[in-house]
Amino acid sequence: LLVAVVAIGGVFVVLRPFGGPGATPSPVARASATPAPAPTAASSAAAIASPTATPSVAPSIEPTAAPPQLVIESAAPSTPNGLTCRSEAVGLTVTYPAGWSTVTDGSQWTCLLFDPAPITITLQSELPPVAVSIFAETRSYAETRKDFETAAVYTVNATDSGSVDGHDATAYELENTGQGFYEKGVLQAVVVVDLGDRGCLVIETVGIAGDAYDANVRTLVGMVDALTID
C-alpha cells in the first residue's frame, strides 16, 4: 500500500492515501448549516502501527498481532500554495491550493471548508460534501481523541502524535465499520489539534481508496503543515 509521508511541525506524518468523494462532517464533529455557537477548535498528523504482542503462554500458542507496520513508499506531498484565508471565529489562517474554493461570506464556516469545486451552503441543511473540512470542537482534545479511538463506528488502522503550529496533535487513519454516519470501508484521514481551554480542531478528509482521495490526503497534510493558530 502506498503511504504518503510529510514532516509536520518537525514530526514525520504518515497517512495512507485514500480515494473517492470529498469529505462530509465527522460523527464526532457533526455539522449543519444552521448557525451554531462560535466554534472553538481541532488538527496534526501521522500513522504508525503497534508492535506484535509477545505470547505469554505455551510456545505452541500464536502471538496476538496488532495492526501491521505500514510500509512507507511515496515521496512527501507538496505544500498547498497560492491562496490564504482566515477564520476569525476559530482563530486560524489557512493556506490552500490555488484553484480551490472555500467559504468567504463571513459566516461561521468561513475558511473552514475546501474543495476544487465551488461550495454552496443551504441553510437548515447538512453541509455539502467537500474535499477537506475543519471543525471546531468545544470538547477537549482528550475527549475527542477518546471518541475516535474507542467508538464502535471506527477501526483505527494507524495513529501517531506530533504538533501543529506548537499545539499537540494526533493523526488517525480510520476505517468505518458501517455502524455510523458512513458506509463500511469508507476511510477517514483525521488530524485532531489541541487548543487547550478552547477545545480542539478536527481536520479531515473522507472517501474510498483511490486517486481522488489520495490527492485529498496529500492536500490535507500540506494544509495542516502550513496552518497557523492564534
Side-chain angles (χ1 to χ4, degrees):
L1 293 178
L2 191 65
V3 177
V5 184
V6 69
I8 291 184
V11 177
F12 273 102
V13 175
V14 182
L15 290 172
R16 190 176 78 188
F18 314 70
T24 48
S26 149
V28 170
R30 294 185 183 87
S32 72
T34 305
T40 13
S43 142
S44 167
I48 58 172
S50 306
T52 302
T54 302
S56 57
V57 290
S60 60
I61 303 298
E62 292 294 325
T64 300
Q69 176 111 24
L70 296 178
V71 178
I72 299 172
E73 297 179 358
S74 73
S78 59
T79 302
N81 60 75
L83 298 172
T84 300
C85 65
R86 177 167 174 77
S87 168
E88 295 292 348
V90 181
L92 305 174
T93 299
V94 183
T95 301
Y96 62 100
W100 277 39
S101 298
T102 188
V103 179
T104 59
D105 61 4
S107 70
Q108 64 175 1
W109 298 113
T110 294
C111 198
L112 297 178
L113 306 176
F114 304 88
D115 197 82
I119 299 170
T120 301
I121 296 177
T122 304
L123 292 178
Q124 307 300 328
S125 66
E126 292 185 349
L127 292 174
V130 295
V132 176
S133 304
I134 302 176
F135 298 104
E137 274 287 334
T138 56
R139 290 180 304 166
S140 72
Y141 176 61
E143 289 173 321
T144 303
R145 288 177 55 208
K146 182 178 179 181
D147 281 346
F148 281 122
E149 293 168 5
T150 63
V153 298
Y154 308 114
T155 296
V156 179
N157 289 342
T159 183
D160 201 4
S161 59
S163 64
V164 174
D165 196 29
H167 297 258
D168 290 341
T170 303
Y172 298 98
E173 176 195 275
L174 305 172
E175 183 170 345
N176 283 265
T177 63
Q179 301 179 49
F181 190 84
Y182 300 113
E183 294 181 2
K184 183 177 181 179
V186 171
L187 301 171
Q188 291 175 249
V190 179
V191 178
V192 184
V193 184
D194 188 4
L195 297 183
D197 293 341
R198 292 191 288 160
C200 64
L201 292 175
V202 174
I203 305 171
E204 72 171 14
T205 189
V206 180
I208 303 298
D211 291 343
Y213 199 74
D214 295 354
N216 290 343
V217 170
R218 289 191 292 270
T219 297
L220 179 150
V221 171
M223 290 173 66
V224 168
D225 190 38
L227 188 68
T228 60
I229 304 171
D230 292 355

